[in-house]
C-alpha cells in the first residue's frame, strides 16, 4: 500500500500539485493522466526516490521497485543475457556460484545453488526469451549484441528488463512507445496478470482503458483519484465540468440581475437600502471561475475539392529497396476517391515501404503502378521531425512555405496547433518530440492536401493532441491512408483495413477486435510450430531441444548456471511462447497470396455484418458532415463579415482620434454615423453567429 499524506510537489521551483491525500492499494493498476508538464514523470521520480516533496510525505513501505529506463542501454552481451541480468537476486546467486567454484568450497556451492533455484534460475533463461518474443524480438535481433540493436529495439529491451525483475511496484513511463499493436496487446495481458502495484504514464487511451483499474489525474494543480481507466475518468471529469459550467452560468445570470438592480435603484432613496443589500451579496458571492478549455489545441484539415477517381491503381506490384530486397507484393490494388484505409501489420513487415511506393516517394521493384495526374498528396513520415531546422522557430518554418502571407495570419494558424504567443518564436531544436510532431502536422495542414497519408502520426503526441488529430481526421472528407498502432485513432477515422503479412498486402475483413484475435492465433501458431520443431529435432524431447536454442542465444551464461541444468525451455528465443497451448484452427486462405487478387476498392463477396456496420458508420459520419457543412460555412461567412466590419471600425476609431479629426465637421459626423451603423451591424452578426453555433451544437447532439 502507498499513502500520500498532504503531498505537494514542485519541479524547478514550479508548483505541480498540492495537498494530495490518497491511498493506492495492493494490486491496483493506476493510470497517471495529465497534460504535458503537469508533473506525471515528476511523481514517478518521487516514488523512485529521485525527487523530494515540497510538502507532506509519501508512506512507501519497503517495496521492490522496477521502473522503465528512458535511455538506450549499452552492453556487449546478447539480449537474453541482458534481460536475465535485470533480476538482481539471480545475478547475485550466479556470482556466488562462480565464487564457490573458484574456491572449491562445496558447502558454499550447495548454498549458492539453493539461492539460485529460489531465484528462479532453472527457468530464468526461458522467461527472458519469452519476454523478448512477446515484444517482437526475432532471430535477427537475438543474434546481435545489445550494442548492435537500433534505438527502438533497445527501448523494448528496457521494458523486458522491467518485467523480468521481481517487483512490488512497477513505474512505467510511456511503455507502448516503439511497440506495434501486436506487442501492445501482449503487454496488456502481461500487466493484467502482474501482481505488483502499477503506475502507468501513457497517452494511449485504449491501452489505459484495458489495463488501468484506477486513474490519478493531475489537473489545475490538484491530484484527483477516479475509478477506471482513461475514458471512465474522462467521462466523470466531463460531467463535473459540465455541472460546474451550469453553476457558473446560473451564478452569472444572478450577478447580472443584481448589477442591473443596483445600477437602476442606487440613487433612489426608497431603494437605497435594497441596493446596499445587493452590493453586500455580490461581495460575499464567491465567483465560480469559467470553465477553461482543457485541450488548448483544435485544428482542422481543409476540405479538398472533388478529386480524381481512382487515385491509385496497381497490378502485380512489388515494393522494396531494389531487386534484391523485395518487401511487399500487391497482386491488385485500387484506391478510390472516398477511401479511408488503415494499414495493419507487425513492425518490420514493410508498411512504410508500401506507402512510400504508393505515393511515389520510392520506386517500385516491379509491376504496374498508376497515380492520378492531379493527385495532391500530403505525407507525414515517422522521421519527418528530423528534417526540421533546429535554429528556426515554428513561425519561420511556416513562413518559408507561405512567404507572401501576413505574419498575423501565420500566427493565428499556428495557434490552433498549440504555438501561441512566444511559443511560435521559440527555436525548434530544444522542443519535445510531441511539439515537433505538432509543427509537422501544422506544416502539412497548411498545404491543404487532397489525399492524406500518415505514418504513425501519434508518435510523441500527448492525449490532447491525439484527440485533436482524431477529430480533425474524422471531419476531413478526403481520402485517407493511415498507418498507426493507436486503436482509438484507427477506430475514429478509417472505414476499412488492409493487412501486410508474410510479404503480401491483402484486405482484412474485420475490425480491430478481429485483428487482435488474429494476432493471438498467429502467436499461438508460431508457438506451436516452434514447440513441434524443437520436439522433432530432439526426438520428442522438447526440453533438450529448447535447451540447445537457449544455449545458442545466451553466450553470456555462467558455467555455474549451466552446471545447474539450465534446460530453461527457452523456446521463445526460437519464436516459441512458453505456456501457450497450440491453436490448430487455421483461417483458410490467409497465407495464400491469391486471396489478394480481389480489388481492394470493393468488399469481398462474403462481406460480414461488421463490414456492413462500418459502411453504416461511414454513412452516418458523412450524413453528419453534410448537415454540419452549411452551418459551418455560414459561421465562417459571418466571421469574415465581422472581421471586415471590425477592421473598418478600427480605421474609423483611429481617424476620429486624430487631432484634426473635427476640422471637417461634416466628414467627422459622417464617420460617427458610419461607426454607429457598424456597431449595430456587429451586434446583429454576433447574434447570428450565436444562433448558428447553437444549431451546430444541436446537430452534434443528435
Amino acid at each position: 500500500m502507498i499513502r500520500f499524506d498532504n503531498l505537494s510537489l514542485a519541479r524547478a521551483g514550479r508548483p505541480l500539485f498540492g495537498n494530495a491525500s490518497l491511498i493506492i492499494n495492493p494490486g491496483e493498476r493506476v493510470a497517471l493522466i495529465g497534460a504535458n508538464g503537469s508533473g506525471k514523470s515528476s511523481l514517478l521520480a518521487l516514488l523512485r526516490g529521485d525527487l523530494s516533496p515540497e510538502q507532506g510525505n509519501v508512506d512507501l513501505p519497503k517495496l521492490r521497485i522496477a521502473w522503465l529506463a528512458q535511455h538506450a542501454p549499452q552492453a556487449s552481451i546478447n539480449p537474453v543475457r541482458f534481460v536475465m541480468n535485470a533480476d538482481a537476486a539471480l545475478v547475485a546467486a550466479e556470482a556466488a556460484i562462480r565464487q564457490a567454484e573458484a574456491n572449491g568450497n562445496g558447502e558454499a556451492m550447495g548454498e549458492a545453488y539453493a539461492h539460485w533455484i529460489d531465484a528462479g534460475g532453472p527457468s530464468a533463461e526461458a522467461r527472458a526469451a519469452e519476454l523478448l518474443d512477446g515484444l517482437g524480438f526475432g532471430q535477427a535481433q537475438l543474434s546481435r549484441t545489445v550494442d548492435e540493436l537500433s534505438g527502438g529495439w533497445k527501448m523494448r529491451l528496457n521494458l523486458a528488463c522491467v518485467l523480468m525483475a521481481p517487483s512490488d511496484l512497477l513505474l512505467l513511463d510511456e511503455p507502448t512507445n516503439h511497440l506495434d499493436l501486436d506487442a501492445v496487446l501482449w503487454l496488456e495481458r502481461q500487466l493484467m496478470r502482474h501482481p505488483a502495484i502499477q503506475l502507468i504514464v501513457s497517452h494511449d487511451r485504449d491501452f489505459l482503458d484495458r489495463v488501468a483499474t484506477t486513474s490519478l489525474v493531475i489537473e489545475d494543480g490538484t491530484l484527483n483519484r477516479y475509478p477506471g481507466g482513461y475514458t471512465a475518468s474522462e467521462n466523470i471529469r466531463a460531467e463535473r465540468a459540465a455541472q460546474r459550467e451550469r453553476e457558473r452560468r446560473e451564478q452569472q445570470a444572478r450577478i447580472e440581475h443584481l448589477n442591473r438592480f443596483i445600477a437602476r435603484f442606487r440613487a433612489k432613496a426608497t431603494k437605497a437600502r435594497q441596493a446596499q443589500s445587493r452590493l453586500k451579496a455580490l461581495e460575499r458571492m464567491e465567483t465560480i471561475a469559467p470553465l477553461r478549455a482543457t485541450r488548448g489545441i483544435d485544428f482542422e484539415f481543409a476540405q479538398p475539392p472533388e478529386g480524381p477517381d481512382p487515385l491509385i491503381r496497381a497490378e502485380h506490384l512489388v515494393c522494396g529497396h531494389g531487386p534484391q530486397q523485395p518487401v511487399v507484393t500487391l497482386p491488385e490494388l485500387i484506391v478510390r476517391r472516398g477511401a479511408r484505409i488503415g494499414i495493419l501489420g507487425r513492425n518490420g513487415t514493410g508498411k512504410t515501404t508500401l506507402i512510400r511506393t504508393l505515393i511515389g516517394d520510392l520506386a517500385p521493384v516491379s509491376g504496374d503502378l498508376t497515380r492520378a495526374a492531379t493527385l495532391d498528396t500530403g505525407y507525414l513520415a515517422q522521421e519527418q521531425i528530423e528534417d526540421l531546422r533546429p535554429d528556426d522557430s515554428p513561425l519561420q518554418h511556416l513562413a518559408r512555405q507561405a512567404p507572401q502571407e501576413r505574419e498575423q495570419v501565420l500566427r493565428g494558424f499556428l495557434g490552433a496547433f498549440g504555438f501561441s504567443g512566444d511559443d511560435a518564436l521559440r527555436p525548434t531544436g530544444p522542443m519535445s518530440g510531441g511539439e515537433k510532431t505538432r509543427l509537422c502536422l501544422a506544416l502539412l495542414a497548411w498545404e491543404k492536401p487532397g489525399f492524406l497519408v500518415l505514418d504513425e502520426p501519434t508518435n510523441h503526441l500527448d492525449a490532447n493532441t491525439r484527440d485533436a488529430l482524431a477529430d480533425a481526421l474524422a471531419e476531413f472528407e478526403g481520402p485517407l491512408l493511415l498507418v498507426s498502432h493507436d486503436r482509438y485513432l484507427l477506430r475514429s477515422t478509417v472505414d476499412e483495413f488492409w493487412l501486410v503479412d508474410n510479404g503480401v498486402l491483402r484486405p482484412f475483413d474485420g475490425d480491430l477486435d478481429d485483428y487482435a484475435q488474429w494476432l493471438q492465433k498467429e502467436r499461438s501458431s508460431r508457438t506451436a510450430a516452434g514447440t513441434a520443431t524443437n520436439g522433432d529435432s530432439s526426438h520428442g524431447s522438447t526440453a533438450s531441444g529448447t535447451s540447445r536454442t537457449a544455449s545458442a542465444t545466451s553466450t553470456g551464461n555462467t558455467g555455474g548456471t549451466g552446471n545447474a541444468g539450465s534446460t530453461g525451455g527457452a523456446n521463445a528465443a526460437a519464436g516459441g511462447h512458453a505456456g501457450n497451448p497450440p491453436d490448430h484452427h487455421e483461417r483458410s486462405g490467409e497465407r495464400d497470396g491469391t486471396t489478394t487478387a480481389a480489388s481492394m476498392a470493393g468488399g469481398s463477396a462474403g462481406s460480414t455484418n461488421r463490414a456492413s456496420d462500418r459502411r453504416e458508420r461511414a454513412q452516418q459520419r458523412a450524413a453528419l458532415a453534410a448537415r454540419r457543412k452549411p452551418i459551418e460555412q455560414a459561421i465562417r461567412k459571418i466571421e469574415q463579415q465581422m472581421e471586415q466590419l471590425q477592421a473598418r471600425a478600427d480605421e474609423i476609431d483611429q481617424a476620429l482620434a486624430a487631432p484634426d479629426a473635427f476640422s471637417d465637421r461634416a466628414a467627422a459626423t459622417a464617420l460617427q454615423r458610419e461607426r454607429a451603423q457598424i456597431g449595430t451591424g456587429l451586434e446583429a452578426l454576433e447574434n447570428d453567429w450565436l444562433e448558428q453555433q447553437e444549431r451546430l451544437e444541436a446537430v452534434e447532439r443528435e
Side-chain angles (χ1 to χ4, degrees):
M1 184 176 70
I2 303 172
R3 183 189 299 272
F4 295 169
D5 185 15
N6 198 33
L7 181 67
S8 295
L9 190 61
R11 193 77 188 241
R14 181 174 67 88
L16 299 171
F17 61 83
N19 303 318
S21 297
L22 53 91
I23 292 174
I24 301 174
N25 295 302
E28 282 196 285
R29 299 186 298 272
V30 182
L32 191 54
I33 299 169
N36 284 348
S38 61
K40 303 185 296 295
S41 297
S42 296
L43 181 55
L44 297 186
L46 174 71
L47 294 173
R48 292 196 306 265
D50 298 336
L51 192 65
S52 299
E54 194 78 5
Q55 173 184 309
N57 60 76
V58 178
D59 183 9
L60 192 65
K62 291 184 177 180
L63 301 177
R64 296 171 298 175
I65 304 176
W67 63 87
L68 181 59
Q70 298 299 311
H71 61 274
Q74 301 293 326
S76 58
I77 57 178
N78 69 59
V80 173
R81 183 65 241 179
F82 185 83
V83 174
M84 292 172 64
N85 288 347
D87 188 337
L90 176 68
V91 171
E94 291 175 342
I97 291 173
R98 291 193 297 271
Q99 184 65 44
E101 288 179 337
N103 296 336
N105 189 333
E107 183 178 351
M109 188 178 300
E111 185 177 345
Y113 273 121
H115 288 310
W116 180 78
I117 292 171
D118 290 341
S123 65
E125 196 167 4
R127 287 186 283 117
E130 184 179 0
L131 290 172
L132 292 173
D133 176 67
L135 290 170
F137 280 73
Q139 210 50 51
Q141 291 77 37
L142 294 173
S143 61
R144 301 176 182 176
T145 67
V146 174
D147 290 337
E148 295 171 332
L149 296 174
S150 67
W153 288 110
K154 287 180 177 180
M155 298 310 293
R156 292 191 185 206
L157 198 61
N158 284 343
L159 183 55
C161 290
V162 172
L163 298 173
M164 183 72 181
S167 60
D168 307 303
L169 173 62
L170 288 181
L171 304 178
L172 303 177
D173 197 348
E174 296 292 352
T176 63
N177 281 359
H178 310 287
L179 301 185
D180 59 15
L181 186 52
D182 186 17
V184 171
L185 294 170
W186 175 88
L187 179 61
E188 288 176 354
R189 295 190 294 271
Q190 291 293 310
L191 294 180
M192 286 189 285
R193 292 197 297 262
H194 204 293
I197 297 173
Q198 301 171 33
L199 264 72
I200 307 168
V201 175
S202 177
H203 298 305
D204 187 332
R205 66 162 66 213
D206 276 54
F207 175 74
L208 293 179
D209 284 345
R210 287 267 296 169
V211 173
T213 59
T214 305
S215 295
L216 293 182
V217 181
I218 304 175
E219 50 190 348
D220 299 330
T222 63
L223 181 65
N224 298 311
R225 178 187 176 105
Y226 299 93
Y230 187 99
T231 301
S233 67
E234 186 180 53
N235 290 339
I236 296 172
R237 288 183 288 135
E239 178 56 35
R240 290 181 180 177
Q243 177 62 32
R244 183 176 177 85
E245 182 64 9
R246 287 193 294 270
E247 293 173 353
R248 188 192 71 83
R249 289 177 179 174
E250 292 172 0
Q251 186 188 68
Q252 287 298 114
R254 175 64 174 164
I255 290 173
E256 290 173 7
H257 176 77
L258 291 173
N259 280 326
R260 284 196 300 269
F261 182 93
I262 293 166
R264 188 177 303 123
F265 299 113
R266 198 170 196 171
K268 293 186 179 181
T270 56
K271 297 288 186 179
R273 182 170 296 179
Q274 294 93 322
Q276 288 298 320
S277 148
R278 282 156 175 79
L279 275 172
K280 291 178 181 179
L282 279 174
E283 292 170 358
R284 290 194 302 268
M285 191 177 294
E286 183 178 350
T287 304
I288 300 174
L291 183 64
R292 295 187 297 178
T294 57
R295 192 161 79 183
I297 296 172
D298 190 13
F299 59 87
E300 62 181 8
F301 295 100
Q303 300 301 340
E306 189 168 306
D309 189 28
L311 305 175
I312 300 174
R313 184 186 296 273
E315 291 184 1
H316 309 296
L317 185 68
V318 178
C319 308
H321 301 277
Q324 306 304 317
Q325 295 179 298
V327 177
V328 183
T329 300
L330 291 70
E332 184 178 357
L333 165 70
I334 300 176
V335 180
R336 296 286 184 191
R337 184 173 60 210
R340 301 181 68 85
I341 302 162
I343 300 180
L344 306 174
R346 301 180 185 88
N347 278 359
T349 55
K351 300 186 296 294
T352 296
T353 300
L354 166 68
I355 61 175
R356 287 183 61 197
T357 304
L358 292 178
I359 67 174
D361 197 41
L362 192 66
V365 174
S366 63
D368 298 323
L369 174 63
T370 304
R371 288 183 296 275
T374 58
L375 185 59
D376 180 19
T377 303
Y379 176 45
L380 182 71
Q382 293 189 47
E383 68 279 2
Q384 200 159 325
I385 64 174
E386 299 173 6
D387 297 331
L388 297 172
R389 299 185 184 184
D391 295 331
D392 286 0
S393 67
L395 182 61
Q396 288 172 310
H397 279 91
L398 187 57
R400 263 194 310 275
Q401 291 187 198
Q404 305 303 319
E405 191 58 79
R406 292 183 298 120
E407 180 177 326
Q408 183 180 357
V409 174
L410 299 179
R411 280 176 167 270
F413 186 83
L414 288 170
F417 291 83
F419 298 105
S420 302
D422 292 341
D423 287 340
L425 305 177
R426 290 193 292 130
T428 305
M431 289 183 176
S432 68
E435 290 173 313
K436 292 177 180 177
T437 301
R438 270 195 278 123
L439 176 55
C440 289
L441 285 170
L443 298 176
L444 176 67
W446 179 267
E447 296 299 321
K448 301 179 179 165
F451 178 31
L452 285 176
V453 181
L454 309 180
D455 191 358
E456 297 291 357
T458 60
N459 281 354
H460 312 294
L461 294 182
D462 61 18
N464 288 338
T465 310
R466 290 187 181 206
D467 288 349
L469 176 61
D471 291 346
L473 292 179
E475 293 173 3
F476 178 69
E477 298 174 8
L480 170 66
L481 194 59
L482 176 62
V483 176
S484 179
H485 67 273
D486 189 313
R487 286 163 288 178
Y488 177 77
L489 183 67
L490 288 168
R491 278 198 304 271
S492 303
T493 59
V494 304
D495 302 325
E496 59 179 309
F497 292 105
W498 299 348
L499 174 65
V500 181
D501 181 48
N502 282 345
V504 178
L505 177 71
R506 63 179 176 85
F508 185 81
D509 189 18
D511 56 20
L512 289 176
D513 291 334
D514 297 315
Y515 180 58
Q517 294 175 12
W518 179 85
L519 286 171
Q520 183 62 25
K521 288 182 178 181
E522 287 290 294
R523 184 180 290 276
S524 297
S525 296
R526 295 199 309 273
T527 301
T531 302
T533 301
N534 288 333
D536 291 342
S537 66
S538 61
H539 305 286
S541 174
T542 302
S544 25
T546 55
S547 177
R548 284 194 294 274
T549 302
S551 299
T553 59
S554 185
T555 58
N557 216 347
T558 66
T561 303
N563 293 338
S566 179
T567 59
N571 56 338
H577 199 52
N580 284 352
D583 189 341
H584 300 290
H585 297 286
E586 298 288 340
R587 296 178 68 171
S588 62
E590 281 189 347
R591 297 187 178 275
D592 186 355
T594 61
T595 62
T596 64
S599 170
M600 299 190 182
S604 64
S607 61
T608 63
N609 290 332
R610 289 185 296 271
S612 179
D613 291 341
R614 290 196 304 275
R615 287 192 295 271
E616 184 178 349
R617 290 195 298 270
Q619 291 169 356
Q620 290 172 350
R621 186 167 62 247
L624 176 60
R627 292 196 299 274
R628 285 171 53 98
K629 190 171 184 177
I631 303 174
E632 291 172 338
Q633 288 174 341
I635 291 173
R636 285 194 291 270
K637 185 177 180 179
I638 293 171
E639 289 173 344
Q640 290 171 358
Q641 292 173 339
M642 291 173 65
E643 288 178 4
Q644 293 170 358
L645 285 180
Q646 189 60 58
R648 177 55 181 161
D650 293 342
E651 291 177 1
I652 295 174
D653 291 342
Q654 187 175 0
L656 292 174
D660 59 345
F662 289 87
S663 59
D664 186 344
R665 184 167 296 276
T669 301
L671 286 176
Q672 289 176 319
R673 188 179 299 111
E674 184 183 358
R675 183 63 176 85
Q677 292 171 347
I678 289 174
T680 303
L682 281 171
E683 185 176 354
L685 287 171
E686 288 173 356
N687 290 332
D688 291 344
W689 186 89
L690 288 171
E691 289 178 4
Q692 295 295 339
Q693 287 289 349
E694 290 175 357
R695 287 183 59 198
L696 186 61
E697 291 174 2
V699 168
E700 292 174 340
R701 286 195 299 268
E702 293 177 0

